[in-house]
Amino acid sequence: MSGTGDERPYWVVFDYGEVISEPTRALPRITAELGMDGAALDSVSAAYFAEREAYDRGCDDHEYWSAVAARLGTNVDERLSRELTRIDVAGWSETDPGTLLLLRELTASGVPLALLSNAPGSFAREAERTRWAEHFRHVVFSADLGMAKPDEEIWRVLLERLDASPEQCLFFDDREPNVAAARAAGLHARRWQGPEHAREELRSHGVLPATSGD
């Protein structure tokens, strides 16, 4: 199945965070580990996400947590950094049952799948050992590349890994800037709106068969 009419496969590429995963629920625990009470949750959340891009691009765990702590007027040692990393990885490891069902359906249909995720290296190593990762022929994590979506170069790396042309790929991501960047690189790309909406898009592209009522 191909977007160019040849026999090469039509790849479906998924983001991970808030597509395969549920939104993290780890921030209250992280707040407590940093020695702060619940009233500081919003401040911790702001610091956590403000430093996330550098983490996704490959900075190490202790560097990341030190930067988060500095924004909050505190500091972390190596032991606390390891514990915060463990909690953080676990927080992003809760998966959406409906999306996992879709992955199983696509795998059973012989559709080649790939993952392109902005994620730190610590999460990447854990993710590679999960059951859901077995659905993917290629998993590409930003920290391993030193670049992240929506960088222009990351799409070239993805396509080289897949040995595919842009029009042979349908990409799902929950963030509009990443979707727009993928489209600019020539990929078919759709904003993630849940597994049922994704099925509709997959059917419209001929990746999954149309339902009997279509």
Side-chain angles (χ1 to χ4, degrees):
M1 192 174 346
S2 167
T4 57
D6 59 26
E7 296 304 316
R8 297 170 68 193
Y10 195 119
W11 289 90
V12 180
V13 184
F14 285 83
D15 176 39
Y16 177 76
E18 301 188 38
V19 173
I20 295 171
S21 83
E22 301 279 5
T24 183
R25 293 192 287 267
L27 283 164
R29 178 77 183 279
I30 288 169
T31 300
E33 289 292 330
L34 287 167
M36 300 179 178
D37 62 26
L41 179 59
D42 287 348
S43 296
V44 172
S45 179
Y48 174 95
F49 286 109
E51 296 294 336
R52 204 70 184 182
E53 182 175 353
Y55 200 23
D56 288 344
R57 290 177 182 273
C59 82
D60 67 36
D61 298 333
H62 188 246
E63 183 181 358
Y64 169 68
W65 292 113
S66 294
V68 171
R71 285 179 175 268
L72 298 167
T74 187
N75 56 72
V76 297
D77 58 17
E78 289 285 355
R79 184 209 62 78
L80 181 54
S81 174
R82 288 192 296 272
E83 180 62 10
L84 290 168
T85 300
R86 185 191 67 77
I87 294 167
D88 189 42
V89 170
W92 285 109
S93 297
E94 296 294 326
T95 49
D96 179 87
T99 305
L100 294 186
L101 181 61
L102 176 60
L103 295 180
R104 290 194 291 271
E105 182 179 343
L106 289 166
T107 299
S109 298
V111 178
L113 305 179
L115 181 83
L116 179 63
S117 176
N118 285 356
S122 53
F123 176 82
R125 303 292 78 81
E126 289 294 326
E128 289 167 344
R129 296 193 286 269
T130 63
R131 292 290 299 274
W132 61 258
E134 297 174 1
H135 291 289
F136 295 97
R137 300 188 188 183
H138 294 274
V139 291
V140 182
F141 292 103
S142 60
D144 296 329
L145 304 178
M147 64 183 75
K149 297 174 292 185
D151 292 358
E152 182 177 349
E153 182 68 6
I154 204 167
W155 311 106
R156 183 191 64 78
V157 172
L158 172 69
L159 294 170
E160 286 182 354
R161 294 278 181 93
L162 304 187
D163 189 25
S165 58
E167 62 271 17
Q168 289 179 299
C169 300
L170 174 59
F171 173 65
F172 290 104
D173 196 290
D174 64 310
R175 298 184 181 276
E176 188 58 40
N178 298 337
V179 172
R183 288 175 178 161
L187 287 74
H188 302 281
R190 297 292 183 270
R191 179 83 175 266
W192 181 258
Q193 299 179 53
E196 285 307 315
H197 180 264
R199 279 191 182 85
E200 294 175 8
E201 293 290 346
L202 290 161
R203 290 174 186 134
S204 72
H205 284 79
V207 178
L208 287 175
T211 61
S212 58
D214 291 344

